[in-house]
């Protein structure tokens, strides 16, 4: 499986290298240490992370914990976020693994070729929002402009994540497996809302060394209009 995925990724990564460095496409992976179908998707995220145009973020959900292994990275708020995505499109069902690309494209299960196609489309689409983030000590200064101005307010969010951790899973569906997880989300918080009419400038606390990102997203949750890394 790994060789197949690597070959599929190689094709679109080579094509993506010819695209300009902006925008950054956010890929949310909803996953769990207790889900037997998730390890291939977890490996896939590690490959996506090697492309600077793509920001994969692993959100571990808690609804698999009852099987016998509590995911140490899971948070109820990540399950709530996944449910909110489902509700926004009129669905009552949530899956693991599930990828949400750019806040708008939903892929259930592990589908590397379909994911590659959707990623290519997002990278080629561009954005009307220009977002810059500057770190000043323990604070971030966030600036954004929309051309043309937006017609509806959007949400400004701050994400923090752990770059990598390896876990030996002792019970549950993945008992005995050792899995390395990449870009493990530790917090996803709302900084504020922006009308998208006038240029934005706001600040937010940013203590510690953990990397992160600022994400501007339509409410719903829906399309992500811009994202900027914080290293």
């Amino acid at each position: 499986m790994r060789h197949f995925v690597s070959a599929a990724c190689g094709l679109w990564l080579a094509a993506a290298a010819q695209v300009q460095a902006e925008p950054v496409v956010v890929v949310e992976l909803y996953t769990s240490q207790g889900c037997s179908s998730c390890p291939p998707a977890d490996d896939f995220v590690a490959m996506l992370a090697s492309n600077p145009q793509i920001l994969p973020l692993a959100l571990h959900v808690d609804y698999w914990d009852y099987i016998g292994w509590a995911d140490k990275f899971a948070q109820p708020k990540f399950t709530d976020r996944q449910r909110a995505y489902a509700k926004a499109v009129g669905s009552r069902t949530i899956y693991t693994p599930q990828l949400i690309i750019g806040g708008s494209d939903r892929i259930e299960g592990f589908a590397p070729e379909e994911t590659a196609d959707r990623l290519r489309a997002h990278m080629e689409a561009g954005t009307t929002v220009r977002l810059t983030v500057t770190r000043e000590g323990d604070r971030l200064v966030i600036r954004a402009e929309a051309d043309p101005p937006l017609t509806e307010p959007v949400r400004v969010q701050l994400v923090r994540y752990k770059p990598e951790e390896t876990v030996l899973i002792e019970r549950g569906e993945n008992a005995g497996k050792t899995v390395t997880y990449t870009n493990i989300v530790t917090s996803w918080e709302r900084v504020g809302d922006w009308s998208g009419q006038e240029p934005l400038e706001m600040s937010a606390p940013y203590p510690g060394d953990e990397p992160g990102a600022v994400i501007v997203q339509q409410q719903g949750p829906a399309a992500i209009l811009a994202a900027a890394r914080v290293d």
Side-chain angles (χ1 to χ4, degrees), residues 109-127:
F110 179 54
E113 292 183 345
E114 181 183 1
T115 303
D117 290 341
R118 302 285 184 89
L119 281 168
R120 186 181 298 111
H122 277 269
M123 287 188 284
E124 292 173 350
T127 179

Side-chain angles (χ1 to χ4, degrees), residues 154-158 189-194 202 215 219:
V154 291
R155 186 150 293 172
V156 181
Q157 302 159 106
L158 177 59
E189 305 294 340
R190 172 183 172 185
V191 178
D193 292 337
W194 173 42
M202 63 169 58
I215 294 173
Q219 299 185 38

